[in-house]
Amino acid sequence: MSDATMGRKKQVMGMRKIATAGLIAMVGVGAPIFPGVSFAQPAPAAAPSAQMASSLAPADKAALMKKLEDAKKHDKIARAGWSQEPLTQATYDTKINEIKALIEKLNKGEDFPLSDVDKAVASPGSAPY
């Protein structure tokens, strides 16, 4: 190659380096200008405290006791007459035991969250009602 050709190649290569450096600088300076997405989330609120059995008035405790007794009676009837399928029977047995434990706690004056009552009284997933 001749010296003139070499000179032009060096000049073109030098211009490419300058153009590349200029583009990188523009992107670096312009990046904060583009709208960004913030992934920050607000702080979670404090979880509401669960209502406890000890907070109930005597009349409400009596109503709760009746609700538990009715649920236990319903589950015993359902377990005996609804299905001979072992999973359904075992589920009713578990529910009956949970209800008995809650009745004992209520009779002894022990405290427990009322959400436990809702879970114990709810219809089991393996039964149609």
Side-chain angles (χ1 to χ4, degrees), residues 44-121:
S49 59
Q51 189 175 8
M52 303 297 281
S54 63
S55 67
L56 295 177
D60 293 333
K61 285 184 181 181
L64 180 61
M65 181 66 78
K66 181 174 179 355
K67 179 179 179 178
L68 290 169
E69 290 289 347
D70 290 346
K72 183 173 80 170
K73 180 179 176 184
H74 171 270
D75 288 348
K76 282 184 176 182
I77 293 169
R79 192 226 182 269
W82 172 248
S83 172
Q84 297 304 310
E85 200 274 316
L87 177 62
T88 304
Q89 289 183 338
T91 303
Y92 276 116
D93 288 340
T94 302
K95 281 184 54 134
I96 291 166
N97 289 334
E98 289 172 1
I99 293 170
K100 283 180 182 177
L102 290 174
I103 290 171
E104 285 179 27
K105 284 183 179 183
L106 197 59
N107 285 333
K108 291 179 182 178
E110 293 179 21
D111 204 14
F112 57 89
L114 293 180
S115 60
D116 289 355
V117 174
D118 296 332
K119 290 176 192 171
V121 172

Side-chain angles (χ1 to χ4, degrees), residues 31-39:
I33 296 173
F34 298 126
V37 177
S38 173
F39 294 105

